[in-house]
Amino acid sequence: MVCWPAMCPVSPVWPRKPNLWAFWVLLLVLLLSWKSWAENYFQNCHWLVVLNKFDRVGALLSKDRFMDQEPMDTVTEVFQKLVDSPIDPREKYMGFPYYLKVNFSCMGKNDEELVRKGHLMGLRPVILISYKYPVNFYRWKIENLQIQMEAAPLRSTGFCIAEVMCALNWYVPMPTKNGSVVMSVDIRSNGLGPYIPPRRFYVNINGYMKRDVSGNPIFTIGYEVAAATGEKTFALKSDHFKRSKSRPLWYTQNHSPVLILGGIEDEKTILLSDTNFQDFSLVELSIDSCWVGSYYCPILNFSATIHDAISTESTLFIRQNQLVYYFTGSYSALFGSSYSSSSWVRVLASECIKKLCPVFVNGNGSEYILALTTGKNEGYIHIGTITDGRVSFKMMPDSWSICDKLPGSNCSINWATYIADEKNLLLLVETLSVKLVKIFYLLNFNLGTQQLDILYVIPQFIPEVQDLDFLVLHGTETYTRTAMIPKGLFFNTFNNMLYIWGNFILQSYNRIHFIYLADFPKDSIIKYMVNSYQGDMAFVTEREEIWYFLEGGYDVYRLVPSKGWDIYFSLQKLQHSSLFADQEFLVTLFYEDGQLYQLIYLVDSGYERLVKRVLPVAQLLLYDQNTPYSLVTTGNFWTPSFTNLCPFKVMRLRDLPKKQHLARQELYHAPPPLVSESLGFHNNKTLAVYQGLVYYLLWLHSKYDKPYADPVHDPTWRWWEHKSRYKDYYFYLSSNWLAAEGVYIDMSSYQKLYNISHDHGLPEMVFLDKGTSFSFTVFLTAHEDTFKLSASSGSSYQVEKKLAVAVVVADPECLDVTVKQDVLLNRKAVLYKITIKDKKVCYDQGISGHNLKKTSMMVKVLGSSGKCFQTTYLGTSTQGHLMVPLLIGCPPGKRLAFDVTYTILHSQQLNKHYFDCVVSNSEMPCFLFRDLFQPFFLVQDMVTGDSGRFLGSYLLKVVGGGPTMDTIRDYTEEEIYRYNSPLDKTNSLIWKTKAERTTQDKKFYIMSQQSPGIEWLCLENSPCHDITPRSIFAPEFFLKLLVSNRGVDTSSYCDYQLIFILHLHGLPLSAKRSLFIVLVSTSLFVGLVIFYILFCLLWPHIVKAWVSLRWKINNIMAAESFYTYATSSAALSLQSQTVSEPSFKAPSIAGSRVDNASEKEVVA
């Protein structure tokens, strides 16, 4: 039994020294045998990833589509229970719609048992999600954002015999980000447990789906076709692919979330995938398929086949017969829902479209597509522009046809490609000469100047090469009788290489002079080609052959069929690989992250399937090599001696720069919260907490992009600003099992990483600012014969000749290359230190990430093309060739921020005081109007974490303002001039300064850190003049300021445009309003004084009159009360007498005198 050091029992007695050597030998043997076993065993393991909705976490065999894009309010209830935790209860924590369910599988082993074993050994999948920046940089900020998470283990909710035997999976939140619809997921292990090779998945948003009435996902572009289920329309039949030839996969490079593939014979169906064909759907499109031929657009035959299919970031394009349709997906992460399509939209309805040509690389914030016409508008091109889902077509040229400028007849544009950065169209045009000979032209048409140039006339026949690898065409060559048949063009924007392909391959560095590649046979015709944009190309012929070409060289290799392919195919069949079959049909060929992939349909007996598999170029070339050998005498025996075709033995890259900084990658680290469960398993509540924490981390990242700089240059600083002091208390609660919901949030683990050291190799893309450079070293180890030959005269020349390195840059006028060689004779090696530096001449100034110039750098060891390989347990890779795309300009992640903290401190020193507003706002402090205002700014690097003072020059303009935040408006160009220019004569200036520097036209001041400061004026015709106070406090005004260094500071390619709001208080009143207030105040005061005097004089008389009036009123009231009382008493007595006398005295008619007298007395 072998135990690891962490699992062995501790022994107080160490073995004696004489026995140590045996122990170490045994341990070495065991480790070597384990390593050999691990290399043979664990390389058959691979990661598995599926998407799960929030409410389906833990369910077995659940899989969802990525269609919901908005955060959901699903974690609020859980966060409300997290008392005594480092969260802010005032903030709103949200969740994401999906989780990633992570698992792994090993060939021939029980997956559930392996996963449980890996968990107990400490295995945790580490997930790195990378967000592709959007196309439209005018709408979204360009950034290369990554977030690193660790998957949390969770037992499935299905039936299991025992709790510890339940199926186990790892889960991690799948966060979304505004502006990104393409996301790559890199999975690797944390170094514990079994070894599983890293793997990358693409999990993209599918904007072409919706939910039906019952909540099930359905396609908006058509009806899904699935295999052998009664609920679906069709079954996945082999006829769909047997009768159809392979077709190209066209999409915008690195920006298309959904890939589509047409070409299925007599079916209006397409293959659609949002995972780069890791899985796919067969969809029947909802189009009318109705077209009638006309005189100008004759129809030869009608077919339901989708001939051309192109996908962009937000829109799909298809061509059926001569009709063109597009469909804009529902991508709320990119634009509003009003731009989305509800059905296929037919465009260019009056045109006869014979072909759609893709534009693989976007430019100027848009994507493009080209439609070639025939019939009445032959010689014109329709250029489609896609911006935020809005599609518009424009016919070019404006007023004349391209065919009008060329001699001959039967003019036809066969292919077109568009260089967006140059606004140039490259056209392949065919004409018929007077002698009835086909002539092919390469034309250049500039959209801006409307100028047409003939770049090259393609030779009529294939040139005679006479055993050469390549031939430079000067026009004086001898030619064969085989005609050249041009089929298409391809232009690589990064290395400026132009290719014309057909039954030949021509390449050009300058679009004028061409080189013929002789290795490609003239009897094969290329059908389409693909490019990795990393130096690799592949061609597919009409006979379904696959050819490979390494850019920068001249050798073309046939991969399929070939001897190397036969060997590789046989080995895979011996291993019973499910990715190979006796009968195969190629569907398409494409590159993904530098690797060549086949989408292929396999037919076995009773089992047919469509699979995506790697085409191992290096391994096929290695198997295809014919290694020469000779017999040499060794003692009494003859032994074979093989000749090394590769000029070097080992090639390594050393002294590499920081990959994160060169690639401008912003990386966040967000592990799951710790749980108090004994086996470390999470539950739905703790995963919900993980969701909320990841959401809040990304929300802090987006909120940090603000004009006012924080005191600490870190987006996560505000999260723990008031909680870090209680860190030990939270740890105490968790250590004693007292944490709420059994969750402990480690504040120090949620952070932004600025210096990643474990990354190796050069990045996939390098960004260069003005005058910046990077360097690395190429280490080459020579074979024995190199230095044996060098013992003779001219030894240094022999070493350089066999180990020569060439560095090629696509734009030598933009980049400077320095190569220093160092020969290490004692190590039989040569070092080449390569430095690439920007020359400061190829870019003006621009916003961060906008309109970057595309170029590239290529390093090549001479004689290594197709001959040098490195084989490891991860596979075989080529060596001796390296291409890195470069982007010159203002790199992403740089910004200018208003340093309000230092500005306030400096204002206190400059003005000897600082007065904030009565109602202060920490996010926007106030500045007093009468104080000098001297702003300071910071240049902050979001990638490296650097934050330093901006020392350059800049222009400051007031571009908007208003009395309140809600009433701020933007000023017109005329108003901006009047409010800011020292030349203004309209008495409208808002500010002035004593700085003497101005622009060349004297219109605006040029400010810097050394400027004396700003004095606020707010003259009579300015908007901040005579502001009416809204309370008893002095008037306030909000100024919208624009700061830009464009044209006045040449230290960087960056146009640091900063717009921020400045809150001014204590504004003075105008003279008229002040006089009016004084007069009104004086009048009120005098009136009050007069009223007081009159009041004091008249008060005694008023009191006396009031007393007299009260006395009279009281007397009247007393007399009235007495009279009323007397009358009531007499009436009561008289009534008593009248009631008692009738029994003794008869009634009288007239009454006596005494009675009348008594009555009168009573009345009186």
Side-chain angles (χ1 to χ4, degrees):
M1 176 180 178
V2 179
C3 59
W4 298 100
M7 303 172 62
C8 290
V10 178
S11 175
V13 180
W14 190 254
R16 290 176 297 174
K17 187 174 182 180
N19 296 331
L20 282 178
W21 67 271
F23 169 77
W24 289 115
V25 170
L26 179 61
L27 181 60
L28 180 61
V29 171
L30 290 175
L31 288 177
L32 289 176
S33 62
W34 179 87
K35 179 181 178 182
S36 175
W37 168 78
E39 290 179 357
N40 294 328
Y41 176 76
F42 285 119
Q43 65 180 350
N44 294 325
C45 297
H46 58 277
W47 293 107
L48 301 174
V49 169
V50 294
L51 204 65
N52 276 175
K53 288 194 65 178
F54 190 92
D55 53 355
R56 298 180 65 183
V57 171
L60 289 174
L61 304 177
S62 60
K63 183 178 180 181
D64 296 286
R65 297 180 183 270
F66 203 159
M67 52 183 295
D68 299 325
Q69 307 171 37
E70 299 294 333
M72 304 184 304
D73 188 7
T74 53
V75 301
T76 303
E77 182 179 353
V78 179
F79 273 84
Q80 289 175 350
K81 300 178 182 179
L82 295 182
V83 295
D84 290 335
S85 296
I87 62 171
D88 192 349
R90 299 169 299 177
E91 295 290 349
K92 182 69 174 179
Y93 290 86
M94 303 285 286
F96 298 102
Y98 301 99
Y99 285 91
L100 286 176
K101 181 169 71 174
V102 183
N103 211 324
F104 72 92
S105 176
C106 296
M107 183 180 297
K109 298 295 180 180
N110 185 290
D111 295 343
E112 293 185 6
E113 181 182 349
L114 285 174
V115 171
R116 285 194 298 269
K117 183 178 180 180
H119 170 69
L120 295 177
M121 295 175 66
L123 173 64
R124 296 291 183 273
V126 178
I127 314 297
L128 179 66
I129 298 180
S130 304
Y131 299 91
K132 297 294 183 181
Y133 54 84
V135 170
N136 188 4
F137 46 71
Y138 296 109
R139 182 183 181 96
W140 302 102
K141 182 181 70 171
I142 301 300
E143 59 183 1
N144 293 321
L145 182 64
Q146 295 178 321
I147 181 169
Q148 186 184 75
M149 298 176 287
E150 186 177 291
L154 176 72
R155 286 187 290 252
S156 299
T157 56
F159 172 78
C160 52
I161 301 176
E163 187 177 11
V164 295
M165 298 296 291
C166 291
L168 172 67
N169 294 284
W170 288 281
Y171 287 87
V172 69
M174 183 61 208
T176 57
K177 173 184 173 295
N178 284 336
S180 295
V181 293
V182 177
M183 289 155 282
S184 63
V185 178
D186 293 280
I187 305 180
R188 61 175 178 87
S189 69
N190 61 346
L192 301 176
Y195 175 77
I196 308 169
R199 191 176 180 185
R200 173 172 293 184
F201 298 86
Y202 280 91
V203 184
N204 304 329
I205 298 177
N206 193 334
Y208 306 98
M209 303 193 72
K210 65 178 181 180
R211 300 193 183 277
D212 58 11
V213 180
S214 59
N216 297 321
I218 60 174
F219 282 95
T220 57
I221 61 175
Y223 306 95
E224 185 175 6
V225 178
T229 57
E231 302 175 355
K232 303 298 179 180
T233 309
F234 289 98
L236 187 61
K237 301 178 181 178
S238 60
D239 292 341
H240 291 158
F241 304 100
K242 287 181 178 179
R243 292 186 288 109
S244 305
K245 299 293 184 179
S246 69
R247 72 286 287 175
L249 182 63
W250 288 340
Y251 57 94
T252 304
Q253 188 74 16
N254 296 327
H255 291 286
S256 296
V258 172
L259 304 181
I260 59 174
L261 196 62
I264 300 177
E265 290 292 336
D266 298 326
E267 298 283 352
K268 57 176 183 179
T269 57
I270 60 173
L271 282 172
L272 182 146
S273 176
D274 52 19
T275 59
N276 283 23
F277 287 103
Q278 198 66 36
D279 50 29
F280 65 92
S281 298
L282 193 64
V283 181
E284 181 187 4
L285 303 181
S286 302
I287 54 178
D288 49 18
S289 300
C290 178
W291 187 85
V292 180
S294 65
Y295 175 75
Y296 293 104
C297 189
I299 182 171
L300 298 178
N301 54 359
F302 177 83
S303 173
T305 307
I306 304 299
H307 297 286
D308 298 327
I310 302 175
S311 61
T312 65
E313 186 182 41
S314 60
T315 308
L316 305 179
F317 292 87
I318 62 169
R319 181 182 67 88
Q320 185 190 46
N321 299 310
Q322 286 80 13
L323 305 180
V324 177
Y325 301 85
Y326 78 86
F327 195 104
T328 300
S330 176
Y331 287 103
S332 59
L334 294 177
F335 45 77
S337 59
S338 60
Y339 297 143
S340 302
S341 301
S342 57
S343 61
W344 287 95
V345 180
R346 181 179 172 185
V347 291
L348 305 175
S350 61
E351 297 291 337
C352 185
I353 305 302
K354 63 180 180 181
K355 183 185 289 293
L356 292 180
C357 292
V359 180
F360 298 104
V361 180
N362 61 288
N364 199 30
S366 299
E367 297 167 284
Y368 304 93
I369 187 174
L370 306 177
L372 306 184
T373 63
T374 186
K376 62 178 181 179
N377 285 328
E378 185 74 64
Y380 292 90
I381 296 179
H382 293 273
I383 301 178
T385 303
I386 307 99
T387 306
D388 283 342
R390 291 169 292 182
V391 179
S392 61
F393 278 89
K394 184 177 181 181
M395 189 169 70
M396 287 291 180
D398 292 336
S399 57
W400 47 272
S401 170
I402 289 177
C403 293
D404 297 340
K405 305 294 183 180
L406 297 176
S409 60
N410 294 346
C411 174
S412 175
I413 301 177
N414 292 347
W415 195 275
T417 185
Y418 182 56
I419 308 173
D421 296 338
E422 304 175 4
K423 295 185 179 180
N424 282 332
L425 270 173
L426 297 179
L427 308 173
L428 179 62
V429 182
E430 175 187 355
T431 63
L432 190 64
S433 68
V434 179
K435 298 181 180 180
L436 301 181
V437 177
K438 290 183 178 180
I439 305 298
F440 292 91
Y441 295 92
L442 175 65
L443 306 180
N444 182 86
F445 176 74
N446 186 270
L447 272 62
T449 62
Q450 296 283 307
Q451 182 178 351
L452 181 68
D453 298 317
I454 299 178
L455 299 179
Y456 187 67
V457 179
I458 300 175
Q460 185 178 354
F461 298 101
I462 300 289
E464 187 71 45
V465 293
Q466 298 177 355
D467 298 330
L468 298 176
D469 292 334
F470 65 94
L471 180 65
V472 180
L473 301 181
H474 295 291
T476 59
E477 307 79 30
T478 59
Y479 295 91
T480 64
R481 294 182 179 271
T482 305
M484 275 192 169
I485 308 175
K487 290 292 185 178
L489 304 174
F490 178 80
F491 182 79
N492 192 334
T493 313
F494 289 95
N495 59 12
N496 297 328
M497 295 285 287
L498 174 63
Y499 298 92
I500 306 176
W501 46 266
N503 62 341
F504 61 92
I505 302 175
L506 296 182
Q507 71 170 354
S508 174
Y509 292 88
N510 56 6
R511 310 174 209 175
I512 298 176
H513 302 98
F514 283 84
I515 299 174
Y516 172 74
L517 303 181
D519 287 345
F520 186 79
K522 57 187 177 182
D523 57 342
S524 295
I525 300 178
I526 296 174
K527 183 166 51 174
Y528 62 91
M529 59 152 297
V530 292
N531 195 295
S532 68
Y533 293 93
Q534 296 180 12
D536 305 277
M537 295 178 64
F539 304 92
V540 178
T541 67
E542 293 182 351
R543 293 181 295 191
E544 305 298 347
E545 297 175 345
I546 301 176
W547 292 75
Y548 173 75
F549 174 65
L550 203 59
E551 291 189 273
Y554 310 104
D555 298 320
V556 184
Y557 304 93
R558 188 171 66 174
L559 300 179
V560 180
S562 64
K563 184 185 74 173
W565 170 255
D566 294 337
I567 297 174
Y568 177 74
F569 183 83
S570 301
L571 291 175
Q572 296 300 317
K573 292 292 292 181
L574 288 174
Q575 296 178 4
H576 302 286
S577 174
S578 61
L579 299 179
F580 294 83
D582 293 332
Q583 193 174 8
E584 300 182 345
F585 299 92
L586 180 64
V587 179
T588 190
L589 191 74
F590 62 95
Y591 274 100
E592 179 185 311
D593 299 322
Q595 278 193 321
L596 188 60
Y597 284 87
Q598 290 176 302
L599 189 63
I600 200 156
Y601 190 78
L602 307 179
V603 179
D604 278 334
S605 55
Y607 183 39
E608 300 180 2
R609 59 205 180 274
L610 185 66
V611 299
K612 170 188 174 182
R613 71 187 185 194
V614 178
L615 187 62
V617 176
Q619 200 163 356
L620 297 182
L621 294 178
L622 178 61
Y623 291 160
D624 201 48
Q625 274 190 343
N626 294 318
T627 306
Y629 67 93
S630 60
L631 296 177
V632 297
T633 304
T634 305
N636 297 326
F637 303 96
W638 292 86
T639 59
S641 175
F642 293 92
T643 303
N644 294 307
L645 298 179
C646 183
F648 57 85
K649 187 176 182 180
V650 176
M651 176 180 177
R652 295 192 185 97
L653 297 180
R654 301 172 54 179
D655 304 326
L656 293 170
K658 292 185 178 180
K659 185 176 180 181
Q660 179 191 12
H661 296 177
L662 283 182
R664 307 299 298 170
Q665 294 170 343
E666 299 183 55
L667 177 61
Y668 286 90
H669 180 64
L674 300 179
V675 295
S676 56
E677 209 270 346
S678 58
L679 294 178
F681 291 113
H682 284 248
N683 53 45
N684 288 22
K685 291 185 178 180
T686 58
L687 287 180
V689 173
Y690 196 11
Q691 281 262 24
L693 294 175
V694 173
Y695 168 83
Y696 193 69
L697 182 65
L698 293 179
W699 180 81
L700 286 173
H701 168 78
S702 62
K703 185 181 177 182
Y704 192 73
D705 185 23
K706 57 182 182 178
Y708 281 70
D710 283 339
V712 179
H713 178 43
D714 192 344
T716 62
W717 169 74
R718 288 188 177 273
W719 195 351
W720 320 117
E721 179 183 4
H722 304 294
K723 296 288 185 177
S724 57
R725 68 184 71 176
Y726 307 115
K727 181 178 180 180
D728 294 336
Y729 171 66
Y730 299 138
F731 180 75
Y732 165 78
L733 293 178
S734 176
S735 301
N736 291 273
W737 308 83
L738 299 175
E741 300 296 321
V743 174
Y744 170 63
I745 302 173
D746 186 7
M747 293 182 289
S748 60
S749 60
Y750 292 84
Q751 57 183 334
K752 189 172 185 179
L753 306 178
Y754 295 105
N755 294 287
I756 304 299
S757 58
H758 60 75
D759 260 347
H760 302 287
L762 289 173
E764 298 177 0
M765 192 82 68
V766 173
F767 294 83
L768 291 179
D769 199 354
K770 192 171 188 177
T772 58
S773 63
F774 69 97
S775 62
F776 59 96
T777 301
V778 177
F779 177 83
L780 298 176
T781 300
H783 294 292
E784 296 292 336
D785 56 350
T786 301
F787 284 87
K788 287 180 179 178
L789 292 173
S790 64
S792 60
S793 60
S795 59
S796 61
Y797 171 78
Q798 182 67 38
V799 173
E800 294 176 7
K801 182 178 178 180
K802 284 215 168 188
L803 295 178
V805 172
V807 181
V808 181
V809 291
D811 297 278
E813 69 277 6
C814 302
L815 297 173
D816 184 31
V817 181
T818 303
V819 180
K820 295 183 179 179
Q821 184 192 56
D822 187 9
V823 179
L824 306 177
L825 294 178
N826 57 339
R827 301 183 60 181
K828 300 180 181 179
V830 182
L831 296 179
Y832 291 93
K833 185 173 183 180
I834 302 172
T835 303
I836 310 294
K837 184 176 182 180
D838 174 64
K839 288 186 176 182
K840 308 181 182 180
V841 295
C842 283
Y843 193 81
D844 186 12
Q845 278 184 303
I847 307 298
S848 176
H850 287 208
N851 287 322
L852 303 177
K853 178 174 178 56
K854 302 176 182 68
T855 184
S856 65
M857 174 270 301
M858 182 177 65
V859 178
K860 180 179 179 181
V861 181
L862 301 185
S864 64
S865 178
K867 300 176 182 178
C868 298
F869 308 94
Q870 182 183 22
T871 302
T872 65
Y873 63 93
L874 293 177
T876 304
S877 59
T878 58
Q879 282 194 316
H881 184 274
L882 177 67
M883 176 181 171
V884 179
L886 307 176
L887 294 176
I888 301 176
C890 183
K894 282 194 172 184
R895 69 164 193 159
L896 191 70
F898 177 41
D899 190 1
V900 64
T901 304
Y902 186 78
T903 301
I904 291 176
L905 294 176
H906 184 75
S907 180
Q908 291 178 341
Q909 300 176 358
L910 183 65
N911 302 295
K912 309 304 181 185
H913 62 262
Y914 171 74
F915 296 107
D916 202 351
C917 291
V918 177
V919 181
S920 61
N921 182 4
S922 59
E923 296 291 334
M924 187 184 296
C926 298
F927 291 90
L928 191 62
F929 176 84
R930 70 170 184 265
D931 289 346
L932 283 177
F933 175 70
Q934 187 170 2
F936 292 89
F937 302 96
L938 295 174
V939 176
Q940 295 185 332
D941 195 322
M942 306 299 294
V943 175
T944 64
D946 297 333
S947 180
R949 183 81 56 227
F950 176 65
L951 304 177
S953 302
Y954 60 90
L955 298 177
L956 187 144
K957 302 177 185 178
V958 178
V959 296
T964 62
M965 287 289 294
D966 298 329
T967 59
I968 294 178
R969 71 174 183 89
D970 294 331
Y971 299 147
T972 63
E973 291 295 332
E974 180 184 357
E975 290 175 326
I976 293 175
Y977 173 80
R978 291 193 291 110
Y979 300 156
N980 298 273
S981 177
L983 301 179
D984 176 67
K985 304 299 182 183
T986 62
N987 204 26
S988 304
L989 281 178
I990 293 179
W991 62 281
K992 71 174 183 179
T993 180
K994 295 181 179 180
E996 298 180 355
R997 289 185 62 195
T998 60
T999 56
Q1000 292 182 357
D1001 53 9
K1002 307 295 183 182
K1003 288 185 177 180
F1004 299 103
Y1005 291 110
I1006 297 179
M1007 308 287 292
S1008 66
Q1009 183 180 353
Q1010 290 75 28
S1011 299
I1014 293 175
E1015 179 183 352
W1016 302 111
L1017 299 178
C1018 291
L1019 298 182
E1020 183 178 358
N1021 295 324
S1022 65
C1024 58
H1025 178 74
D1026 195 19
I1027 301 298
T1028 304
R1030 297 180 178 270
S1031 62
I1032 62 173
F1033 304 109
E1036 299 178 346
F1037 198 82
F1038 294 86
L1039 294 175
K1040 189 176 183 179
L1041 302 182
L1042 168 65
V1043 176
S1044 175
N1045 68 326
R1046 185 176 182 87
V1048 296
D1049 179 71
T1050 59
S1051 61
S1052 172
Y1053 284 140
C1054 293
D1055 178 7
Y1056 292 120
Q1057 282 194 11
L1058 172 66
I1059 297 178
F1060 66 99
I1061 306 298
L1062 188 69
H1063 190 181
L1064 285 181
H1065 71 116
L1067 273 71
L1069 302 174
S1070 65
K1072 293 181 180 180
R1073 189 175 297 275
S1074 300
L1075 180 61
F1076 174 77
I1077 293 176
V1078 170
L1079 292 177
V1080 172
S1081 302
T1082 303
S1083 300
L1084 290 175
F1085 178 75
V1086 172
L1088 289 174
V1089 171
I1090 294 174
F1091 177 77
Y1092 177 75
I1093 293 174
L1094 292 176
F1095 180 79
C1096 292
L1097 293 176
L1098 296 177
W1099 179 252
H1101 301 282
I1102 294 174
V1103 172
K1104 184 177 181 180
W1106 172 250
V1107 172
S1108 176
L1109 180 61
R1110 283 187 62 189
W1111 182 78
K1112 290 181 179 182
I1113 293 173
N1114 290 335
N1115 288 340
I1116 294 173
M1117 293 177 63
E1120 183 68 26
S1121 300
F1122 174 77
Y1123 173 76
T1124 303
Y1125 173 76
T1127 303
S1128 301
S1129 300
L1132 183 61
S1133 301
L1134 181 60
Q1135 184 178 3
S1136 301
Q1137 292 177 2
T1138 303
V1139 173
S1140 60
E1141 286 178 0
S1143 59
F1144 303 100
K1145 185 177 179 178
S1148 61
I1149 300 174
S1152 64
R1153 182 178 298 176
V1154 177
D1155 297 335
N1156 292 337
S1158 301
E1159 184 178 353
K1160 291 179 179 179
E1161 184 178 355
V1162 172
V1163 173

